[in-house]
Amino acid sequence: LVCCLFAAPLAWQDAAGALHGIEALDGDAERAAIAAALEDRRAAPDGRDRVKLDFRAATTEALQSALTSGCRVLHYSGHGHPQCLTFEDGRGGLQPVPPSRLEALVRPRPPALAFVCACHSERAAHALVKAGVRHVVAVSLDAPLLDAAAVAFTRAFYQAIAVGDGVKRAFDSGVASVAASP
């Protein structure tokens, strides 16, 4: 089971209660890249090799539900901040999830692989490792992650995983794909 959580909050609220819009990410392109990369595995006649994809809005409730359902691969896509990942609050707003909360949410049932597609996601990656996730792919740079680069990396990574490559080889494929992108 590959669970893909996409955070697309519309606004965040400051301490004075004012709402501020949030830049939209190209979640549709990323969803399509994942689905296309895993297409053959999703249609595999042998149930043991079949991959089930589950796309959900990234709320903390959806994360807990995905893990309880036996999620083996957790894919998060959304905005990152040096202090947190940004989930949705279920009402269109932003819910910051700091590394300590992320670790506590994942620890009871960690997936085998977590893929964090967000700017500033290194601290989240460390929290996932502490929670027991064996393999974590995240952005170590403290710089913005461009949508086109994220989609290119994601597509190549999951294509490599789909043909049986290990996480390291899949990661290298993703890096090569970004380097070769226009």
Side-chain angles (χ1 to χ4, degrees), residues 61-72:
E61 294 81 11
L63 172 60
Q64 289 178 304
S65 175
L67 295 172
T68 301
S69 298
C71 174
R72 301 292 300 141

Side-chain angles (χ1 to χ4, degrees), residues 1-4 66-75 109-113:
L1 179 59
V2 177
C3 299
C4 302
L67 295 172
T68 301
S69 298
C71 174
R72 301 292 300 141
V73 176
L74 175 65
H75 181 99
R109 290 186 174 87
L113 168 66

Side-chain angles (χ1 to χ4, degrees), residues 6-11 22-25 31 57-58 77-79 86-88 92-93:
F6 287 84
L10 301 172
I22 297 174
E23 177 186 349
L25 299 173
R31 275 188 286 278
S77 180
H79 286 290
T86 60
F87 279 59
E88 296 181 29

Side-chain angles (χ1 to χ4, degrees), residues 80-85 118-124 139-144:
H81 180 275
Q83 303 303 317
C84 65
L85 291 179
C119 299
H120 311 290
S121 56
E122 187 173 13
R123 290 184 70 213
V139 179
S140 66
L141 298 175
D142 222 14

Side-chain angles (χ1 to χ4, degrees), residues 2-6 30-32 34-35 42 53-57:
V2 177
C3 299
C4 302
L5 303 179
F6 287 84
E30 195 172 345
R31 275 188 286 278
I34 295 167
R42 292 171 57 209
L53 276 176
D54 183 14
F55 294 104
R56 303 178 187 199

